[in-house]
Amino acid sequence: MREELRFLKCIDHDVPIQIDIPDEGNEFPAVLLIHGFMSSRNNDNYMLARISQKIAAAGIVAARIDLCSMGENLYSRENYGMKVMIREVKASFKYLQNLPYVKKENVGLLGHSLGGRLAFTCSTLPAKIIVSLNGAINTFEPINVGYDKFEMANLGYSIVRTSCGGVELLYQKFLDDMKDAVNDNIKNFKNPILVEVCTDDPTLDPNISLNFIKTCHMANVDSFTVSGANHTFNVETGDFTKLNEVIGKVVPWISAHIK
């Protein structure tokens, strides 16, 4: 596997995109990996990087990005919201399609947490597949994000603590964008969808994904559940057992449906 780090133009800033490319072959399908709320492409003990490497080992290009103001994305945190992130995902998807070693018609989306919501929202793209990992996929309604309302009202921002223990600033734009970005786009998506849900997730209500699986009535939806794991599959503890369990199911599914 070889790696490339590039920066693509979106609006008036650059989006970092790290690409893992299989060793053998000249043209590959590809998957765009989208991180979650207040995370980054290499956060959560390199969770997405570990998934990306296994996807590349299966003969598929895997690319992951840093969304607005996270990781190496230098766009101002004041812009952090669904509208900007949707545009970043769409720009990254098209960028992947145009790489000389990527099969244009075989590009998919994989999102974790808020990234899952972005993947469902961006299902208007010609994605070959969509994968949600503990995704906030109830795109027909805003999601509740914990924040200090007093801080928001008096300072214009709130200090939030992330899943990996970091401290970040959340501005009103994120809350406003969440309301404006409500959609039901996934109902029109005809290609394969995989929904994974940790039934013991303490961060994001697992019923969000479980209810989608139960009530969507879409024949193109596959799913599986994982028990005994938190929102990021316990990777912060250094135990990758549950993440490896997920990878062991997700990567073969991707291989079977994207090529």
Side-chain angles (χ1 to χ4, degrees), residues 66-193:
D66 284 329
L67 294 168
C68 177
S69 77
M70 302 306 301
E72 292 185 85
N73 189 318
L74 301 181
Y75 211 32
S76 171
R77 177 58 51 80
E78 293 174 303
N79 297 315
Y80 186 76
M82 288 293 289
K83 290 181 181 178
V84 169
M85 291 189 283
I86 288 168
R87 292 182 68 176
E88 290 178 331
V89 169
K90 290 182 176 180
S92 300
F93 185 92
K94 292 177 181 177
Y95 184 85
L96 264 185
Q97 282 187 308
N98 290 322
L99 290 175
Y101 48 81
V102 168
K103 296 179 180 178
K104 185 175 183 178
E105 306 300 323
N106 298 76
V107 179
L109 297 169
L110 180 153
H112 171 256
S113 191
L114 185 67
R117 188 182 188 90
L118 282 162
F120 270 40
T121 296
C122 293
S123 59
T124 52
L125 291 167
K128 185 74 172 180
I129 60 166
I130 288 179
V131 179
S132 167
L133 305 180
N134 291 333
I137 56 177
N138 53 333
T139 58
F140 53 85
E141 61 183 352
I143 57 173
N144 294 319
V145 176
Y147 68 97
D148 189 315
K149 294 182 179 179
F150 178 84
E151 288 180 343
M152 189 67 75
N154 289 274
L155 301 176
Y157 60 84
S158 176
I159 301 172
V160 299
R161 191 168 294 278
T162 66
S163 61
C164 64
V167 175
E168 304 285 356
L169 298 182
L170 181 72
Y171 287 85
Q172 182 66 40
K173 177 176 173 54
F174 181 85
L175 306 175
D176 294 339
D177 274 14
M178 186 61 64
K179 296 176 183 177
D180 293 341
V182 167
N183 69 89
D184 209 10
N185 296 341
I186 198 65
K187 292 293 184 181
N188 297 316
F189 188 76
K190 305 302 181 185
N191 288 339
I193 299 169

